[in-house]
Amino acid sequence: MSPRGRARAAAPLAPARSGVGVPGPGAVRADALARGGALPEPPPARTIVLWCPDWPVIAAARAAGSPPDHPFALVAKGLVFASSASARQQGVVRGLRVREAQARCPELVVEPYDDALDHRAFEPVIRAIEEAVPGVEVLRPGTVALRSRGPARYYGGERAAAATLAGIAADHGAPGVRAGVADTPFAAEQAARARPARPGERVRIVPVGGSAAFLADLPLGVLGDPDLAMVLGRLGIATLGDFAALGDEQVRDRFGVAGAFLHRLAGGRDPREVAARAVPPELRVEASFEPPLDRADQVAFAFRRSADDFAARLRAAGLVATTIRVGIVDERDLLLERTWVHPRWFDAADVVDRVRWQLAGGVDPTGLEAPVVQVVLEPVAVDDAANHERGLWGTGPDERVHHALARVQGLVGHEGVVTPRIGGGRTLAERVVLVPWGDAPVGGERALATVRDRPWPGKLPGPPPATVLERPRPVDVVAAGGDSVDVDERGALTGAPERFRAEGERGGRFAPVTAWAGPWPLVVRWWEAGGRRLHRLQLVDGDGRAWYLVLADHRWWAEAVAT
């Protein structure tokens, strides 16, 4: 054979260089189209989900100092929101009423569910995972998702990657983490939550293309829509596989867009991809004092530099803080923590004021119970600084009002400047809620509105009087014969009101009563020995002013007036 023939025969066996002889993806697609075949499906973007069982209970029990093995439950709206494994063994399950849970487990420790604590406690775990693998999506506190391709290549396979990341989470405060790997985030989360195939197994891997088969036997409750599960159950559909077997158009026509989305989840066709969270800049600052400081004004002065650093970090990130958390640690290792809300946003001076108010309570700058060793400051709620820029024509009046009130508050203390809110209650005085300037009401505006709109038994209908007196005034109400008007045991007036006089009105002279209505009884705290029975009366004087009177212990008091 000639040299040219030998070279031609060996050519197909020689490694190709510069892409010659190796069909690329474009050539494969063109070849498939030329043959009239279907395009090959791209490989699925595999997902790893890490799940920490009972995370809300773990976080709350640590904050409360409860032992890990002690029965523990979190309560929201009077019902059990989450419970520990030891509590569940005694019948304390989600949705149970608090009294029933305590009856089943007398030693149960009950704490209210705090969503902010849940997120805050999980933040160190998230950051530890992000240091090992970028691109983490937080599904909820205790559950994160990330793409499998990068970690699997680095750690030598999906199982090794999932086990390593679960170990990192456990080392940073999330015990018992389980991992699931599947083609979709939904299937991967269900794999992490599924019962282990073998005792002690922490990683469950669903094969490529096997998500639909894995999900088929799961109940409809895992979709998180109890109404849909109830309707499908009535139709004889009990599992995700049964639901996935329905046609797309049938589901969309019957259950709408939301039902069609859940139908895709049930069939292993989750359209979502892992969306990595943007790692926030480190905005937390702290200051330690050696030796400890025993005066509030000293601590505030020493913390000023840290407050300036906090404000500078926010500016560099293009953010402003509208809510902050200040933690103060004294030499007894006690933590005094409080969350502060600002009507605009916090600057360095505002932060220093909050530290001083938190230490002294706005009373005495020297009365600390123990010297302070550390102050920690971190933002709770931040916003884009562009949303708080001055308008084209300025915000002069608003700015002047704010600075004036903030200045007065800095002089007289945190409780010295208050704004009124309308809350809930039966009497007018109870409904006035005074909130320090810049703070949010306890529980937030939504909680205050909920309390305000409750059907309070004994509350008088509107419209309410225009002015609620800061302190009730004593009032004399007399009948035609000059006898004082009272209320008898049957709740009726002893006489028709004809004249009355209020302290500080008309020089102490009686005014005629042109109209009156009532009385309306109200029993306050009837279940206690110190409970009282009140009566309300409305009357109109000769000047057309309407008075709201309350009878307590056979004495009339003016609580409000409307002109």
Side-chain angles (χ1 to χ4, degrees), residues 488-504:
D488 59 22
E489 295 181 355
R490 299 176 63 87
L493 294 178
T494 58
E498 183 174 298
R499 295 176 299 152
F500 89 104
R501 63 181 176 185
E503 183 182 81

Side-chain angles (χ1 to χ4, degrees), residues 135-441:
V136 177
E137 178 184 1
V138 182
L139 303 180
R140 67 190 65 85
T143 307
V144 298
L146 56 154
R147 298 182 181 90
S148 169
R149 182 178 180 183
R153 287 184 173 182
Y154 184 82
Y155 292 105
E158 292 179 338
R159 184 174 298 276
T164 301
L165 295 175
I168 293 174
D171 293 341
H172 289 81
V177 171
R178 299 180 189 174
V181 185
D183 296 341
T184 65
F186 177 74
E189 181 176 356
Q190 300 310 314
R193 291 174 174 268
R195 184 183 300 275
R198 294 183 297 273
E201 185 180 44
R202 294 294 181 182
V203 180
R204 181 75 172 267
I205 296 181
V206 178
V208 176
S211 295
F214 168 74
L215 296 172
D217 295 332
L218 298 182
L220 295 171
V222 300
L223 293 175
D225 191 332
D227 294 336
L228 177 65
M230 179 183 65
V231 173
L232 293 175
R234 292 176 177 177
L235 298 175
I237 300 173
T239 64
L240 297 186
D242 297 337
F243 185 35
L246 300 178
D248 292 344
E249 294 184 358
Q250 292 176 307
V251 174
R252 185 173 60 253
D253 294 342
R254 177 69 182 270
F255 301 106
V257 177
F261 172 74
L262 297 178
H263 180 248
R264 291 178 63 86
L265 295 186
R269 299 176 294 157
D270 191 346
R272 300 168 300 177
E273 294 183 355
V274 175
R277 74 165 189 165
V279 181
E282 180 58 51
L283 301 175
R284 183 176 184 270
V285 298
E286 60 183 58
S288 301
F289 311 117
E290 182 61 40
L293 304 179
D294 56 1
R295 289 175 56 92
D297 52 355
Q298 291 177 343
V299 175
F301 181 79
F303 191 71
R304 185 174 296 274
R305 177 174 297 179
S306 298
D308 292 334
D309 183 28
F310 176 74
R313 294 185 185 183
L314 287 171
R315 286 194 301 270
L319 302 172
V320 294
T322 57
T323 306
I324 61 174
R325 182 182 297 107
V326 178
I328 299 174
V329 183
D330 60 23
E331 65 178 4
R332 300 171 300 179
D333 203 25
L334 294 179
L335 173 64
L336 173 64
E337 191 174 71
R338 180 168 179 177
T339 300
W340 298 89
V341 181
H342 201 282
R344 291 190 311 135
W345 45 271
F346 285 95
D347 57 18
D350 294 328
V351 171
V352 173
D353 283 341
R354 269 58 178 185
V355 172
R356 186 176 70 253
W357 295 341
Q358 185 166 326
L359 284 167
V363 180
D364 183 5
T366 63
L368 299 183
E369 295 183 1
V372 175
V373 298
Q374 188 182 48
V375 176
V376 179
L377 170 66
E378 59 181 344
V380 175
V382 296
D383 194 11
D384 195 332
N387 297 333
H388 298 264
E389 295 291 344
R390 294 169 62 94
L392 179 61
W393 305 112
T395 54
D398 293 340
E399 292 293 331
R400 286 195 295 270
V401 169
H402 166 71
H403 286 300
L405 292 177
R407 177 61 177 167
V408 173
Q409 194 176 37
L411 295 175
V412 301
H414 179 236
E415 305 287 343
V417 181
V418 295
T419 55
R421 299 284 197 279
I422 299 177
R426 297 172 178 83
T427 65
L428 296 176
E430 289 178 348
R431 300 196 66 190
V432 178
V433 181
L434 298 178
V435 181
W437 169 255
D439 280 11

